[in-house]
Amino acid sequence: MSTRRLAFSHHDKGSIVIEIGRMYTKVGLSGEPAPRHVIRSRVEMKPYGALQDVWDPKYLHREELYLILSRFLQNIYLKYLMVPSKDYRVLVVEPLLSPSHFRNTLARALFNHFSVPHVAFMPSPLLGTFSLGRQTALVVDIGWLETTVIPLYEGVPIMSAWQSTSCAAKTVHNTVMECLIETGAITDTHTQEQNPAGTLGLKELIQGSLEDIIVSTCAVRSMDCDRTPPEVSFPLSQQYTLCLPGPARDACAEGLFEEGEGDLSLPSAVLESLLKCPCDCRRDLSENVLVLGGIASLPGLNYRLKQELERLAGDKNERFSAKLGALQFKFHQPPAHPSTAAWLGGSIFGTSEVAVLERAVSKEKFREMNQRLPDWTSCDPEQHEQLRPVPTRKLLPAAPSSLYKSTTKTQSAH
Amino acid sequence: MALSLHYLKRVLYSCSCSQPAPLTDLYFCRHCKVARCQDCVSITVDTYFCPHCFETVPVSEAKNRKNRCNHCFQCPRCSSTLTTRSIIVPSEVLAEQSPKKTESPSSKSPSLARSPGGTKSYYLSCTHCKWSTRDVGIKDKRSPIDFKDPLSPHQERVSQLVSFYKEFSMRDQAEREKAKKVGRRGRSYGGLLDTSKFVKGASSDSPKQLRRASLQGTWNKSVVNKVATQSTDCPDQIPDGFYSGEPELKKIATLQQRLLDPAHQPARVEQFTPRPLHLIGKKLLRCKGCDHILLKAEINPSSIRFKIQQIALHTFPQIRILKPPSLVAGAPCEVLLSVSNPVNHVVSISFQQLEPSFTKGGKVSLAPVSLPKGSYQLSPNDDMGDLLDDSEEELEGEKEFIHSRLLGKLVLKFNVAPEEGTTGEVKFGFVLSFDYKSTMELEKQESSCIVPAPVVVDLGKLTHSDD
């Protein structure tokens, strides 16, 4: 009965799905295969006019974040989505461990400044699995600053097996930058003068177009490859051309596969996480690896990761071989660009009104909770109780149905 | 106005949310009688229109079109607007090219095809970077609106997943409800009253039936597995061309070009498609306190006028620094501020000291100031004023503090004493109270009330005496 009532009582408009990444923000409406807009996570702060990074560590724990976020969201609502904020619930796709002040402030901005009726926060690895249509996956989420590895088994994240490493998109950027400063050269097309890429002033020029350099010229070398790609001349501006040496082009992701100081490499983080899982779900997980994040679109990354995983797991000298040696590694291809796969999961999840509302906080509830969101790590028992009200045994009074009967009677009498 | 632009950051008025803002950024709500800044108004999109062809699009249609224009397109290479080019194809050529189409009587535009001069066909090209739809092999169209945004390659798969999860959650809910019922009353007999299973002709394959079956019957694992993607044993390797030759950078899309079309993210120039132009909206501002409209533009996209415009600049007396004062620490310095009247009737003003709570617990240090005492009257700011005789109407105000009096303007003397050891800018504040006469048509009798406006003036750094 309830399903029928839900289906006919009103037309569901769907939800707005927002993923505020460190570099890029993806916004769109639920049910669509791709975000409407992918924009930089920045906002112009009047009257100072300067572009302000949303994730700026300077403001991350300060009160000013409210103003930054509300300006940023205002831009999204008025310029990009152009929908009235009061009519749509919001699904925020967030990293597994997002700073609580950021979450709270974002919720405060959405509820107070935009009067959004419901806001749901969902972790991006979990939503990533929705784009696959399956409940079990080992999700490797390569972000800008850190990579998180989380196994999901039948829709339940195995939190004890969570792993994180600082081998992430920034590592790739740094590797390429270092490589270029060492071996790259910049030619001035006017004077035909050649300078090393490390020259002051030119370094900033490279930094500005580093993302483009990586996207258009780089790939991840496989382990058994002995060839060197040819060098490329990349136009940085009208005046300068960067000569990109061959080795820099396929060595961009080497930093992901090297153990840092006290830090795991990407493959060992994956194996470490598998090791912590119960042994009967390891096979299911290793055969369902899902790599998320913009860096995952680098050609050859998944292939190299598979090779590295097999090498590490099979290596007798490493600690993994005894327990993980027999595992096979299989990878998933989400039906979207890897950078928007988590968003797509949110888009699919956001269409189901029941599921979102069950996990969402309403505006009234938020006010009752003193403008603080409950965290899954929060130990405040009072808050937990408020989020999940204990089902009361009290029966609902039969008023609505009897009322309905009486009105129909009077109508027929007339 | 030029002056006020110049001193934009010098004189800051305080909004009702105690946020400082230049007068040009503030609105004034006639009903709440307070100033509102950008952050304490609710802004919604009022009318949608295309910035190129100026077509006004109704709200429901804008939603259907995903906020994009039907006729105008954006260049995928340089994101400027594409222009539609038309060429006339002689009918003989057309007949040669597509003999089948002309043979069939049900061709789309028979009258055009039969016209003696031939038919018009259209393509899009960019005047800025010379990109055209012919570059990527998009055929010329019979009508300029035939260029459509291609569907996402994953559209089908995503809609399959969406319907799967919708069902999944419905079933989940139904099951939970059932469990609740069972727990409450022992057993429900609702199923016995369900007559839908006796309806004639309802084939078991209809989606409704299927849903019912899946809701009531067992949700076996095979359904789930059918939808799930299969993982691959060998992920994609580097394409062959990577090692063999230098890539043609001109044929590879930049990141910005890829993100312009998030659904396709074209990696190469050949995959570019013209993007429908994004609509823009005229904004409607409402006061958050009383929900009255503060700003409403005219619907016509080419008009830049407003239907309702309640900005503070039209109500608040505007304060400007007349000339940069010489500031010496520890000594009272005379500062000349001009106060101008924006309305065409007499406005009386007075000054009060700022409350100490305003400085946010000492965060903003303000220099002590002695304000002009008593109340002053500003002459009306009338465009015709200078044509009239100088009326000898006595306006209220103590002569001692008045520097000069102009039409609709008053220059007053303030005495600021910057404290010793001030390193940054010397600021001082006061509350400017003025009587606001409501001129609303609805309120028949003229009512006036006093509106306080806290103002902070930044005078700049101390003057260094070189002697």
Side-chain angles (χ1 to χ4, degrees), chain B residues 131-172:
Chain B
W131 182 86
S132 91
T133 47
R134 291 173 158 190
D135 292 358
V136 289
I138 296 176
K139 275 186 186 162
D140 292 0
K141 307 276 177 177
R142 293 285 185 81
S143 150
I145 57 164
D146 279 351
F147 291 95
K148 291 257 158 63
D149 199 21
L151 280 178
S152 161
H154 306 294
Q155 179 76 49
E156 213 171 287
R157 170 76 184 145
V158 171
S159 38
Q160 185 192 6
L161 283 170
V162 164
S163 54
F164 167 73
Y165 277 109
K166 258 191 179 168
E167 253 183 66
F168 193 93
S169 78
M170 269 182 161
R171 183 184 174 274
D172 199 40

Side-chain angles (χ1 to χ4, degrees), chain A residues 2 37 71 74 81-82 113 132 134 212 215 220 249-250 287 306 331-332 335 352 354 358 395, chain B residues 39 43 48 67 154 157 169 173 176-177 184 229 231-233 238 242-243 249 255 258 278 288:
Chain A
S2 66
H37 296 274
R71 291 268 170 89
Q74 190 165 59
L81 293 177
M82 301 176 67
H113 202 273
L132 302 178
R134 54 168 61 241
D212 261 329
V215 161
V220 185
R249 287 182 58 204
D250 68 347
E287 288 180 3
K306 179 185 155 70
F331 285 74
H332 274 289
S352 156
V354 187
E358 199 177 291
L395 281 171
Chain B
D39 297 306
I43 312 175
Y48 299 79
N67 298 333
H154 306 294
R157 170 76 184 145
S169 78
Q173 163 121 20
R176 225 171 309 157
E177 208 120 309
R184 210 185 277 158
T229 32
S231 50
T232 57
D233 204 7
I238 298 182
F242 185 73
Y243 287 105
L249 282 178
L255 195 63
R258 291 175 199 217
H278 202 266
K288 269 201 174 168

Side-chain angles (χ1 to χ4, degrees), chain A residues 5 53 72 91 96 114 160 212 302 306 310 315 321:
Chain A
R5 205 185 307 136
D53 230 326
F72 183 62
L91 177 67
L96 203 60
F114 297 97
S160 57
D212 261 329
N302 282 2
K306 179 185 155 70
E310 278 168 358
D315 195 344
S321 67

Side-chain angles (χ1 to χ4, degrees), chain A residues 30-68:
Chain A
S30 63
E32 288 175 11
R36 291 247 176 117
H37 296 274
V38 180
I39 48 173
R40 283 303 289 262
S41 305
R42 282 177 183 166
V43 65
E44 192 179 319
M45 294 301 287
K46 261 182 171 179
Y48 311 105
L51 281 174
Q52 175 64 49
D53 230 326
V54 173
W55 284 96
D56 194 340
K58 194 174 150 197
Y59 294 109
L60 206 51
H61 299 287
R62 280 169 50 177
E63 207 37 46
E64 283 94 327
L65 187 66
Y66 179 79
L67 201 64
I68 295 172

